[in-house]
Amino acid sequence: MTLDVSRLSRALMVCACTLSLTGCGGSDAPEPHSSPADAAQWVAPSTETPVREQAIPRGRLGDAVVPTAYALNLNIDPDADRFSGRVIIDVRIAEPVDVIYLHGKNLTVSAATLSAGETLIAAEYAQVDPSGVARLSLPISVSAGHARLTIDYGAPFSTTLDGLYKVEEDDRAYAFTQFEAISARMAFPSFDEPRFKVPFDLAVSAKADHSVISATPVRRTETAVGGAVRHVFEQTPPLPTYLIAFAVGPLDINDAGALPPNAIRHEPLPFRGAAAYGKGARLAYALESTRPLLEGLETYFGTPHPYPKLDIIAAPDFAFGAMENVGAIIYREQRLLLDENASLKQRQAFVYTHAHELAHQWFGNLVTPLWWDDIWLNEAFATWLAYKVSDQWNPSLQFSLRLQRLALETMATDALASTRQIRQPVESNDDIINAFDGITYRKGGAVLSMFERFVGETAFRDGVRLHMDRHANGVATAEDFMQSIADGSEDERVVPAFRSFLEQPGVPLVSASVQCDGVPTLTLAQQRYRPLGSAVPEGGDWQIPVCFVALDGEQAEETCHLLTKPRETLELQQCPQALLPNAAGAGYYRWTLPSDGWAALLDRIDRLSPPEQLSLIDNLDAAFRAGELEFSVLRDALPVLAAQPNWEVATRLAKAWALYQNSLVDEAGHAAMRAALRTAYAPRFEQELGLQPDPKEPNNDALLRGRLAEILVRDAADSETLARLAEAADAYIGPQGGAMQPGALPGDVIEPALIAGVIERGPAFADRLWARFETSTDAILREHILTAVATAPQPEIAAEARRRALTDDLRSNELLQVLRDQFAASVTRPDAWEWLRQHADAVLARLPETSHGRIAKYPEQFCSPERRAEITAFLEPRVESLFGGPRTLDQTLEKVDLCIALKQARGEQVAQAMAAAEPVPAP
Ligand SMILES: [Zn+2]
């Protein structure tokens, strides 16, 4: 395009009022502080031919125009339907352009200009892709240099928990934000990619009686139009768009006072909690636990919390667990608002969520991924470190064991042919959404844990510190991270080994066999784990840090070896009585043994640590699924495992057991499997623990009690437990019109007891639960009640939960809970599936677009060709329009296929093993 001077001057005339940068609308938005002092750096009209318009950038924006600073001025009144704003973006233009691509989604733009010193050019704004790609078209081309974009716009508040959205409770309205991954563009025009880390000057005009929270402290407040108050915030350090946040409304602010200085941080850190009106007092536990967790992280990194203040905010409705926004972490209420009756499980969930978000302040916020393909590094790191610092603070809640269990559970997905590698190329918005999954968080966290053990805790930490130091306030890639760990630990072997786990999908299976004729040797072989019916190709090429334990008499000797070849043979000192191929359960791999090897370990299970016991149980189950182990081994192991002291260990097999009982056998087999669960678990619950806790009991007992109650009610259908818990639930809920009796149930048993109440007492009890639900704004109580009614075996009770899920009785996150619970329970799954197919559009309308792909995950536990055909017929035609849907559907279908294959190959064996079991004594 050549310069058109007449068009330029017209453009100048049209928008002369914007020369002042206070705008045609008369607003006095703050300005970014990055304008060039030297006029020669401004762009100018250019006679050069602009680089010709490229295709619409649906993935990454190009490098032709990049932001250097933002000033964002918003008018937010949650009582209205819309908000408005002006954004001023200073940009650097690398080559002549007449078109600028950026992001903006569903925004109505009233004016857009590009200015450069005295030059002012009106631009035409248009959204050109539904994902929120926008184009500014200039009437002329401009040269390389600096320029300033000014855009005035308005938009409706989102109603689907993304972007800038509204929540109402008790006739009070609030506005919150959720920008990660690609929803900042719903709140303001922006270059909405993580690599663009620049300072923000933020200001919000709000009602005088509303609180406003954002990333930094308020610098000043001033009166704005119509009696509103304008909150002007301190300029932020360099940040990407996805980490900006706002919370506006009649919030309860619980000012805990600053977190005091410590050995690492020499200044106090201003710190507050915020919640919806009337709920501030329930922040007490969260506020108290922040100091030790934050100090644990500051000690680990050796640097203070990187930002000038910290607010933690409970939103009455929130799509995720929490979001690590700089200075303003937002949580769903179920995570943050805990009263004294909260269960240990809820406290555990709060602690690791909170530690995770705090860890992000360094990993993710201070050092940010260049692009979404490295989001795993954010999430894996925060996951791993959260469990580590939580364990340091309160080991009795067993956080590390939980991370290990979650990683083992993720191996079920990672065993699919349709799994993805941790570091997956991200080309589309589907890829971005898929990147937030168990592979990223849990496999990623477990792999970090494995390599920390490989290089040593201190050496690994030194590598992490080096990484923070090298890239503070900037962006970094996985390559940068691996190099930092190699440099910090002075161990270059870590790079290729780490990469073999990052850039290769699947779970390695290490086969270990000991030969004792002559010199004792151990042969280790690796291949990709393949369950029965798997389409996974053979092979696998990992560099696996294998640590094994040779058990001999009272001796247990650990040896570590980096397995780099398909098969290697090592000499042993002596022939061990038993061999455990994954010391401390710390390696992200499955392992297998010859059949006498399993037996030798089961005979010595008391000699293994809880993580090793978990590893053993999971690998027994994996060997069964791969067709390598008879079901009778699992059957005989159940009572042995159920008697183990650690609660995670004791109840681990019950989960797989319940899946088998619901999918592999007919009613006779089902009854026998239920009975086996009762025999294994009822005595521990009845006699060893009792319903009411001893005030001095260890946390392990409380956690075990809760999980046993759940197994006995749901999977074993134990009539005595059902009757006893239903009675306690009756007392707990209290009479219609009377008060609840919180003391009637310990926190960890509330949910199974309410489930028992519904099973035993039917619709009358469900009605009493709904009456409590309707008058309660306590998110945790509502969660328990919903689970109890949603999973009811009585179809009319479960149907009522679904009916209400599409009304205002339930919040959007509660709709997701109903679906999750109903699809998880085999008794409600068929009706839920029928309903979802009828109401899919209404369900999707209540969810953030980025969560739409989840509906393709719900039917994953079906196990018949007929259901598979239904899933295909329903989801295939619509999956392309669901964010992240295509891969999710592939995984769902593959899980169904694997279940069908397992049933065909082993269903009969399971039934026979159960029929041959010792008859269960009558209760
Ligand atoms: Zn995270």
Side-chain angles (χ1 to χ4, degrees):
M1 182 178 172
T2 49
L3 179 65
D4 179 344
V5 177
S6 64
R7 286 180 65 196
L8 171 61
S9 54
R10 199 167 61 243
L12 279 168
M13 282 165 56
V14 168
C15 261
C17 62
T18 58
L19 270 171
S20 68
L21 288 175
T22 56
C24 298
S27 140
D28 53 346
E31 288 180 30
H33 300 299
S34 75
S35 327
D38 180 358
Q41 295 173 21
W42 290 111
V43 298
S46 168
T47 53
E48 283 182 68
T49 308
V51 176
R52 210 37 270 164
E53 186 179 325
Q54 65 280 53
I56 293 169
R58 293 190 170 83
R60 273 178 244 216
L61 297 170
D63 291 319
V65 183
V66 300
T68 57
Y70 286 77
L72 175 60
N73 197 54
L74 289 168
N75 304 299
I76 302 178
D77 174 6
D79 292 314
D81 295 326
R82 296 176 64 85
F83 64 94
S84 63
R86 158 173 290 189
V87 66
I88 301 175
I89 314 175
D90 282 348
V91 295
R92 194 173 58 242
I93 297 178
E95 57 199 22
V97 292
D98 61 0
V99 158
I100 296 173
Y101 281 108
L102 72 170
H103 295 112
K105 188 171 176 185
N106 305 338
L107 307 175
T108 307
V109 168
S110 52
T113 61
L114 178 146
S115 62
E118 298 295 305
T119 310
L120 226 154
I121 303 168
E124 196 183 313
Y125 173 99
Q127 184 179 331
V128 292
D129 188 77
S131 70
V133 181
R135 180 169 56 209
L136 283 173
S137 305
L138 305 174
I140 55 164
S141 93
V142 294
S143 68
H146 286 265
R148 172 167 288 184
L149 305 174
T150 302
I151 302 173
D152 293 307
Y153 66 97
F157 285 106
S158 167
T159 53
T160 49
L161 310 184
D162 50 0
L164 175 56
Y165 69 92
K166 239 173 98 154
V167 185
E168 286 178 34
E169 182 171 278
D170 288 343
D171 295 328
R172 293 184 182 86
Y174 306 83
F176 299 98
T177 52
Q178 171 58 35
F179 289 167
E180 194 180 26
I182 50 170
S183 297
R185 63 191 66 176
M186 298 169 73
F188 60 103
S190 52
F191 293 78
D192 194 12
E193 274 186 42
R195 69 181 159 132
F196 298 126
K197 285 184 84 171
V198 299
F200 282 75
D201 282 288
L202 304 166
V204 175
S205 297
K207 279 184 172 159
D209 56 350
H210 281 184
S211 300
V212 180
I213 300 175
S214 190
T216 48
V218 173
R219 184 165 65 213
R220 63 172 194 277
T221 54
E222 52 201 39
T223 308
V225 188
V229 172
R230 186 153 169 271
H231 305 249
V232 181
F233 296 90
E234 305 274 354
Q235 189 183 48
T236 71
L239 294 179
T241 42
Y242 84 89
L243 289 171
I244 301 294
F246 301 98
V248 179
L251 296 162
D252 255 13
I253 306 278
N254 190 332
D255 194 337
L259 296 173
N262 56 38
I264 308 288
R265 175 169 37 76
H266 304 303
E267 300 293 330
L269 179 68
F271 173 54
R272 302 177 304 175
Y277 183 84
K279 294 182 175 177
R282 278 190 249 161
L283 289 157
Y285 183 74
L287 291 170
E288 278 162 30
S289 349
T290 300
R291 180 177 167 183
L293 291 171
L294 190 73
E295 292 193 347
L297 289 162
E298 290 177 318
T299 306
Y300 186 82
F301 287 106
T303 55
H305 174 266
Y307 300 103
K309 63 102 175 170
L310 177 62
D311 286 310
I312 56 176
I313 303 158
D317 206 353
F318 194 71
F320 305 96
M323 176 63 208
E324 70 264 22
N325 314 300
V326 164
I329 309 177
I330 302 182
Y331 299 77
R332 68 166 55 192
E333 287 186 344
Q334 292 94 324
R335 284 288 197 282
L336 205 59
L337 302 184
L338 305 172
D339 60 22
E340 56 284 5
N341 284 321
S343 66
L344 281 179
K345 227 166 110 183
Q346 282 150 357
R347 287 180 203 278
Q348 216 186 21
F350 157 70
V351 172
Y352 65 70
T353 305
H354 194 35
H356 177 109
E357 308 310 329
L358 292 174
H360 271 315
Q361 302 307 313
W362 285 263
F363 229 105
N365 299 9
L366 186 61
V367 179
T368 305
L370 181 75
W371 176 241
W372 299 110
D373 56 356
D374 275 328
I375 195 66
W376 73 270
L377 195 49
N378 266 13
E379 297 305 348
F381 194 91
T383 301
W384 162 75
L385 188 56
Y387 285 100
K388 194 177 169 75
V389 299
S390 302
D391 241 4
Q392 280 165 2
W393 173 52
N394 189 347
S396 73
L397 288 174
Q398 304 180 22
F399 291 99
S400 295
L401 208 55
R402 187 174 188 281
L403 174 59
Q404 188 201 355
R405 193 236 307 154
L406 295 177
L408 291 171
E409 285 174 7
T410 298
M411 286 184 187
T413 301
D414 205 18
L416 302 176
S418 54
T419 188
R420 56 177 198 86
Q421 59 209 42
I422 298 178
R423 192 181 194 211
Q424 180 80 20
V426 168
E427 306 297 341
S428 68
N429 292 319
D430 281 327
D431 295 336
I432 296 176
I433 303 310
N434 288 147
F436 290 85
D437 69 356
I439 298 296
T440 287
Y441 286 73
R442 295 166 179 181
K443 178 178 181 182
V447 167
L448 286 174
S449 192
M450 174 167 72
F451 282 101
E452 181 200 28
R453 203 176 146 86
F454 177 66
V455 302
E457 204 172 358
T458 307
F460 192 83
R461 188 205 62 195
D462 290 348
V464 170
R465 289 181 175 185
L466 184 64
H467 185 69
M468 289 291 122
D469 198 41
R470 282 177 175 170
H471 305 287
N473 283 315
V475 294
T477 64
E479 298 296 328
D480 297 326
F481 178 71
M482 287 186 286
Q483 199 53 55
S484 298
I485 297 299
D487 294 346
S489 64
E490 298 177 5
D491 189 344
E492 283 292 333
R493 291 179 305 161
V494 73
V495 175
F498 205 117
R499 187 175 285 132
S500 77
F501 279 85
L502 277 188
E503 295 173 353
Q504 177 171 212
V507 191
L509 173 70
V510 173
S511 311
S513 58
V514 174
Q515 296 82 30
C516 285
D517 318 331
V519 179
T521 56
L522 169 66
T523 300
L524 297 173
Q526 62 161 303
Q527 63 183 93
R528 192 165 161 186
Y529 172 74
R530 302 162 73 215
L532 282 168
S534 173
V536 164
E538 285 192 48
D541 182 16
W542 284 273
Q543 299 196 5
I544 312 169
V546 176
C547 293
F548 55 89
V549 183
L551 293 163
D552 222 343
E554 295 303 302
Q555 302 287 317
E557 196 178 307
E558 183 177 327
T559 309
C560 292
H561 175 75
L562 188 65
L563 179 65
T564 58
K565 301 193 185 110
R567 188 179 195 86
E568 294 180 41
T569 298
L570 318 173
E571 277 188 21
L572 298 175
Q573 300 282 0
Q574 54 189 341
C575 188
Q577 290 167 340
L579 184 108
L580 176 78
N582 194 347
Y588 185 84
Y589 54 88
R590 290 206 198 276
W591 48 269
T592 188
L593 294 166
S595 56
D596 55 347
W598 294 113
L601 275 181
L602 278 167
D603 285 347
R604 292 167 182 77
I605 189 157
D606 296 345
R607 306 246 334 256
L608 307 181
S609 65
E612 291 170 341
Q613 293 171 330
L614 270 195
S615 179
L616 169 60
I617 298 165
D618 197 76
N619 284 292
L620 282 166
D621 180 50
F624 168 68
R625 285 170 185 266
E628 307 269 325
L629 188 94
E630 296 286 308
F631 186 77
S632 56
V633 179
L634 292 182
R635 178 199 64 196
D636 296 343
L638 180 68
V640 177
L641 299 173
Q644 292 302 313
N646 182 278
W647 80 278
E648 289 265 24
V649 173
T651 59
R652 181 75 192 115
L653 186 57
K655 187 151 188 198
W657 193 273
L659 290 178
Y660 297 152
Q661 124 185 346
N662 292 325
S663 51
L664 302 190
V665 292
D666 62 10
E667 183 43 44
H670 194 277
M673 292 187 80
R674 276 199 313 266
L677 285 176
R678 257 199 309 273
T679 310
Y681 292 110
R684 285 201 86 172
F685 182 70
E686 295 282 324
Q687 292 143 34
E688 192 181 315
L689 295 171
L691 183 55
Q692 286 298 341
D694 177 333
K696 281 191 240 134
E697 76 177 7
N699 283 342
N700 186 65
D701 284 1
L703 289 161
L704 178 62
R705 179 184 295 106
R707 180 71 183 112
L708 289 182
E710 196 183 327
I711 293 169
L712 291 169
V713 164
R714 281 195 156 161
D715 304 319
D718 177 48
S719 53
E720 259 182 58
T721 308
L722 280 165
R724 189 169 173 208
L725 288 185
E727 195 184 322
D730 204 43
Y732 172 81
I733 285 298
Q736 204 107 37
M740 288 181 60
Q741 306 290 327
L745 280 170
D748 286 273
V749 185
I750 294 172
E751 194 164 292
L754 297 186
I755 294 172
V758 172
I759 292 172
E760 292 288 284
R761 315 213 159 173
F765 188 72
D767 288 345
R768 282 166 62 203
L769 291 182
W770 280 121
R772 292 289 180 208
F773 184 90
E774 282 160 7
T775 53
S776 175
T777 57
D778 177 344
I780 289 178
L781 176 65
R782 287 167 65 101
E783 186 174 66
H784 291 324
I785 291 176
L786 265 189
T787 295
V789 290
T791 58
Q794 300 94 327
E796 68 281 10
I797 300 178
E800 174 65 5
R802 291 191 293 271
R803 189 192 66 75
R804 290 191 189 229
L806 292 180
T807 70
D808 288 341
D809 290 1
L810 265 65
R811 298 170 183 156
S812 297
N813 79 71
E814 292 171 334
L815 158 63
L816 286 173
Q817 192 204 325
V818 169
L819 285 168
R820 197 184 56 225
D821 284 349
Q822 294 208 332
F823 276 93
S826 58
V827 61
T828 44
R829 195 176 304 136
D831 285 353
W833 173 231
E834 183 70 37
W835 181 87
L836 178 64
R837 285 180 286 163
Q838 282 168 17
H839 297 91
D841 291 337
V843 169
L844 293 177
R846 288 201 72 185
L847 303 182
E849 269 187 18
T850 48
S851 296
H852 284 186
R854 290 190 200 183
I855 69 164
K857 182 175 170 60
Y858 290 125
E860 68 180 8
Q861 285 190 46
F862 280 123
C863 196
S864 72
E866 297 73 28
R867 294 295 188 193
R868 190 195 194 283
E870 288 172 8
I871 296 168
T872 312
F874 173 64
L875 282 167
E876 254 179 12
R878 57 177 75 215
V879 75
E880 290 296 333
S881 67
L882 306 173
F883 262 122
R887 184 186 296 276
T888 308
L889 177 58
D890 286 348
Q891 295 190 342
T892 292
L893 290 174
E894 193 179 347
K895 284 182 180 171
V896 174
D897 287 341
L898 290 178
C899 185
I900 294 170
L902 184 65
K903 185 177 181 176
Q904 277 172 355
R906 289 292 181 271
E908 192 56 33
Q909 186 190 94
V910 175
Q912 282 172 5
M914 293 315 299
E918 295 285 311
V920 177

